[in-house]
Amino acid sequence: MICYYNHPIAKPSLLRAQNPMAFDLSSDNSVFRGVSSSPPIRLRDLVFVVNPRGANGRTGKEWKKLLPYLQSRLGSDCNICESLTSGPSHAIDITREAIREGAHAVIAVGGDGTLHEVVNGFFSDGKPVANQNEAVYSTALGLIPLGTGSDFARTLGWKNDPREAIERIAKGVRSRIDVGVISREAEGSHYFINVADIHLSAKAGYYASRYKKFGNMCYVIGALQAFMGHRNQDLRIKVNEGEWQTCSQVTALCVGNAKYFGGGMKITPNADPRSGSFEVVILQDFKWYDFLLKLHKLYNGTHLSVKNVTSRNVYTIEVDDISGSGSIFIQSDGEHLGFLPRKLSILPAAIEMIC
């Protein structure tokens, strides 16, 4: 039976189970537990946030194919709330409203861009969004990777297999993961779950976003366009609230909460979203031919031994452009944020994730 869920922002459709049996998915349980007592217990709401235009419309098509299996696997135990995004930042609004209304989980269906927005929806005005219904559980984050990149899923060792993702959701195992927060004076906070990067790679990501119709080739096209007129720049950084220091001729600076970006490049190979810290990798004085010669190392994560590549673990890092040009790009999870300066900080164990 299909009915509609009264949602003031997202207006998702709600596919309700006809079997009143519910599972206990509270945060202090690692797996679903059947409940057979009477009277019937309210079913748990799982809100699936879908970008139907993702991956050139492939996400929407794959979601329609997946929905019958999703209903058959989860529909007897949960309320399956489908919410289709209509444009940029809509997933943020949907997620905030779902958490406030007591959803058990919000599941991003798509690529890293959709996941990025859903993660940002877990926060508002610099703090976590609160459940207004005083539920005893916290809303969990879930993921069904269907997008172009799906780089965060790679860190967790997940395949782009939606049925495998549904099995994870069915088992309901939760684990706390870290989230990064990016701030700038007189501006609001921005959150990321995967990798934030600065200068050439961020510029490449900015251009790549224009070529998503070419799939993962968009990253190659974006990189080629970013190299045109590129100049390495001197940056200054402050690590863990210490003293400012100069990094000369920076090509790219990457702050990893997870390992991969750019469609499978293992840029911060030692990053772990459960570690409570970032891995920061800095590439200095790279020329265009360095990327061609060392591209395989960047993809397989063996580049830390390359000359002019450094790595360190940090809790906070501030980055500024010494020249003051205001033209050094920064992005997070493949989303363009603007330009330096910025401060990046880790929020340990900030979100519960179904994994």
Side-chain angles (χ1 to χ4, degrees), residues 239-240 255-256 268-272 275-281 304 310-317:
V239 172
N240 298 337
V255 181
T268 47
N270 298 316
D272 181 349
S275 67
S277 65
F278 295 128
E279 181 181 23
V280 174
V281 171
L304 299 187
T310 59
S311 171
R312 67 176 83 181
N313 289 335
V314 310
Y315 305 105
T316 67
I317 181 168

Side-chain angles (χ1 to χ4, degrees), residues 321-340:
D321 173 15
I322 289 177
S323 72
S325 65
S327 61
I328 305 297
F329 284 68
I330 179 171
Q331 68 171 2
S332 66
D333 299 345
E335 302 297 317
H336 176 64
L337 297 185
F339 306 93
L340 295 182

Side-chain angles (χ1 to χ4, degrees), residues 52 64 92 108 119 125 130 155 194 207 229 243 254 258 265 268 274 293 306 328 336 351 355:
K64 288 181 180 179
I92 298 176
V119 167
D125 298 324
T155 291
N194 198 43
Y207 290 128
E243 299 295 323
C254 302
M265 188 178 291
T268 47
R274 302 181 185 94
L293 295 173
V306 171
I328 305 297
H336 176 64
I351 292 178
C355 57

